[in-house]
């Protein structure tokens, strides 16, 4: 793909192939199995980057500045402050939903199919009733630089990951799907675009396109009344148009539209590209030019060789979700023909050293090490990336059942 911005910078397609034997699909399947067993043995419970307000001090942080300070202190501290602050491990529906969808990709194997259905049933059980029926939430309060939303309120990111996982695993009945469709339109759509939380007025591109992709999926692939399906498709189409209009001339998308929301980072850019592709495909919209420009910027400015950057053109902190999303994106760019599978393999090799389930040496201290044990922020996104990568690497045989029997938690 030819650059429209910085032709002097080589894209990953132009870079040399990895200097080790390229993995086959079976190698990646073995890694996925190892990762699943590691997380499942912990019942998908662990720390979360945004769990700082769940301890006793969180109840005392009544002001926005205090909440953000406490949350960011816990998130960024080189030492894990959670035991000291009384913050307990969390099991989140977002993690199990994401993992259910990852396992469902391998559902031709009975063990993976059962894993997908078990996690999907667990996630479906967390679907909200009452005022916000059909949606999902985070299990913790969140204070960001632009918004505050308590654990009692659903959000679009949690809803999308949970809904997709349940739909992939086949654990939502028709009534639950209708409830989801109604809730999505009633509470997470403002008539123009999809909002991060109910009543939100800030355009956040990755959330808007997550909503568009989910609405398009519900409209095109689930049994819904024709009028409801049409409303979902219309909302999805308009939301896609809004984010297409928000793409910058260099191909990037800012995180959001508004003061202090103009940064560009790797994992949110990944979400934008994946969901734009999904929504446009389902809706029959031509987004190829926007995708090409977006991929070009992503590959040139959010990687340092095969190592993903957190922010565009900046060497900065390593982050498990950003790394895992980079593997997922490398699998997608290979599937779509933007890169070769050798780049996807090189990205996996560059990032896998820090994930405990994949062989990280526990004796080696690392900053923010607790985040690499987070089910929602680390294990589930990496499992999603590995099962997607499995589908595009050469090797041939259908997914084989993992060696041995499922763990007690998996049975």
């Amino acid at each position: 793909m030819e650059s429209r911005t910085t032709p002097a910078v080589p894209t990953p397609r132009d870079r040399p192939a990895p200097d080790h034997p390229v993995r086959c699909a079976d190698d990646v399947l073995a890694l996925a199995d190892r990762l699943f067993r590691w997380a499942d043995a912990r019942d998908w419970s662990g720390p979360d980057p945004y769990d700082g307000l769940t301890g006793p001090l969180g109840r005392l942080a009544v002001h926005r500045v205090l909440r953000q300070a406490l949350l960011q202190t816990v998130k960024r501290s080189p030492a894990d402050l959670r035991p000291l602050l009384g913050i307990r491990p969390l099991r989140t529906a977002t993690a199990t939903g994401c993992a259910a969808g990852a396992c469902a990709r391998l559902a031709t194997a009975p063990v993976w199919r059962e894993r997908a259905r078990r996690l999907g049933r667990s996630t479906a059980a967390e679907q909200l009733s009452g005022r916000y029926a059909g949606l999902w939430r985070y299990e913790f309060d969140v204070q960001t630089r632009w918004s505050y939303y308590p654990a009692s309120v659903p959000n679009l990111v949690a809803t999308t990951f949970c809904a997709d996982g349940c739909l992939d695993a086949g654990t939502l009945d028709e009534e639950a799907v209708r409830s989801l469709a109604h809730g999505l339109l009633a509470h997470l759509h403002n008539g123009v675009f999809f909002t991060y939380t109910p009543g939100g007025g800030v355009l956040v591109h990755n959330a808007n396109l997550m909503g568009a992709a989910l609405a398009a999926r519900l409209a095109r692939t689930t049994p819904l009344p024709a009028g409801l399906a049409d409303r979902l498709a219309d909302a999805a189409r308009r939301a896609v148009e809004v984010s297409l209009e928000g793409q910058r001339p260099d191909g990037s998308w800012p995180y959001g539209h508004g003061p202090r929301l103009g940064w560009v980072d790797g994992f949110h850019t990944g979400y934008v590209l994946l969901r734009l592709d999904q929504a446009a495909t389902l809706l029959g919209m031509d987004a190829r030019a926007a995708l090409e420009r977006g991929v070009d910027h992503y590959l040139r400015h959010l990687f340092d060789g095969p190592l993903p950057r957190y922010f565009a053109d900046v060497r900065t902190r390593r982050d498990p979700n950003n790394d895992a999303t980079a593997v997922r994106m490398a699998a997608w760019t290979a599937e779509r023909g933007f890169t070769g599978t050798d780049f996807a393999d090189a990205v996996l090799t560059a990032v896998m050293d820090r994930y405990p389930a994949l062989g990280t040496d526990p004796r080696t201290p690392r900053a923010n090490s607790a985040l690499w044990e987070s089910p929602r922020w680390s294990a589930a996104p990496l499992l999603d990336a590995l099962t997607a990568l499995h589908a595009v690497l050469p090797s041939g045989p259908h997914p084989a059942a993992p060696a041995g029997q499922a763990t007690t938690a998996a049975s």
Side-chain angles (χ1 to χ4, degrees):
M1 181 171 51
E2 295 299 324
S3 169
R4 296 180 173 86
T5 53
T6 53
V9 181
T11 67
R13 171 183 280 172
D14 303 323
R15 294 178 180 126
D19 58 1
H20 62 85
V22 175
R23 290 179 184 84
C24 68
D26 291 339
D27 298 328
V28 173
L29 183 62
L31 291 175
D33 181 51
R34 188 190 309 172
L35 176 61
F36 179 92
R37 289 175 180 274
W38 180 89
D40 210 50
R42 292 158 177 78
D43 195 30
W44 296 89
S45 297
D48 191 277
Y50 293 94
D51 60 7
L53 300 179
T54 63
L57 282 181
R59 292 190 290 271
L60 302 177
V62 296
H63 188 273
R64 174 184 62 83
V65 174
L66 293 176
R67 288 194 296 262
Q68 190 168 10
L70 176 58
L71 190 150
Q72 291 297 325
T73 297
V74 173
K75 178 183 178 183
R76 295 177 182 272
S77 173
D80 185 9
L81 300 178
R82 291 170 180 82
L84 179 65
L85 298 178
I87 297 171
R88 299 180 178 179
L90 283 173
R91 189 178 196 270
T92 69
T94 307
T96 58
C98 180
C103 293
R105 286 198 189 95
L106 305 173
T108 54
V111 168
W112 285 102
R113 182 166 60 251
E114 173 53 32
R115 289 171 172 178
R117 290 195 60 79
R118 176 168 55 82
L119 291 173
R121 288 192 294 267
S122 171
T123 305
E126 298 301 318
Q127 192 177 22
L128 294 175
S129 57
R131 178 182 180 183
Y132 296 118
L135 307 178
W136 281 265
R137 63 185 179 95
Y138 288 151
E139 291 76 1
F140 43 83
D141 298 348
V142 176
Q143 176 69 63
T144 70
R145 68 184 72 183
W146 59 274
S147 179
Y148 169 71
Y149 44 101
S152 59
V153 171
N155 70 78
L156 192 48
V157 174
T159 294
T160 298
F161 279 112
C162 291
D164 277 342
C166 290
L167 291 169
D168 291 343
T171 56
L172 288 185
D173 59 26
E174 289 189 18
E175 181 179 352
V177 171
R178 286 195 299 272
S179 180
L180 167 61
H182 284 295
L184 187 63
L185 288 173
H187 300 295
L188 295 175
H189 186 258
N190 66 5
V192 180
F193 57 84
F194 289 93
T195 61
Y196 206 105
T197 55
V202 177
L203 171 60
V204 175
H205 287 293
N206 76 91
N208 177 48
L209 288 169
M210 284 185 179
L214 178 57
R217 179 177 187 176
L218 293 171
R220 295 291 188 251
T221 68
T222 63
L224 291 172
L228 179 56
D230 290 344
R231 289 172 57 207
L232 286 166
D234 289 344
R237 188 173 293 105
R238 177 57 183 143
V240 168
E241 291 169 350
V242 167
S243 281
L244 287 176
E245 292 166 2
Q247 188 178 25
R248 290 170 169 167
D250 66 359
S252 69
W253 278 268
Y255 173 78
H257 181 72
R260 300 189 301 163
L261 299 180
W263 77 86
V264 178
D265 67 57
F267 69 96
H268 288 120
T269 298
Y271 294 166
V272 165
L273 291 168
L274 284 173
R275 300 299 178 165
L276 173 58
D277 182 35
Q278 180 186 7
T281 299
L282 287 167
L283 296 168
M285 299 177 69
D286 183 6
R288 179 71 183 184
L291 287 169
E292 287 181 347
R293 292 170 53 227
V295 170
D296 187 65
H297 183 276
Y298 177 70
L299 295 178
R300 291 180 181 277
H301 298 281
L302 285 155
F303 283 91
D304 182 11
L307 187 66
R309 292 184 170 117
Y310 193 94
F311 292 112
D313 296 320
V314 176
R315 290 190 179 185
T316 185
R317 65 184 184 274
R318 294 283 302 279
D319 176 88
N321 195 13
N322 190 57
D323 283 5
T325 303
V327 178
R328 176 68 183 91
M329 287 302 297
W332 175 79
T333 58
E335 179 188 5
R336 293 293 185 266
F338 293 110
T339 64
T341 56
D342 56 343
F343 175 63
D345 182 70
V347 174
L348 176 59
T349 299
V351 307
M352 63 183 288
D353 64 303
R354 293 199 179 189
Y355 293 93
L358 301 186
T360 297
D361 185 348
R363 296 169 298 178
T364 303
R366 297 188 186 277
N368 302 314
S369 59
L371 294 189
W372 298 84
E373 299 181 357
S374 169
R376 184 181 74 92
W377 203 251
S378 177
L382 183 60
L383 184 66
D384 178 58
L386 290 173
T387 60
L389 181 56
H390 171 272
V392 300
L393 286 179
S395 91
H398 292 292
Q405 298 299 313
T407 61
T408 302
S411 59

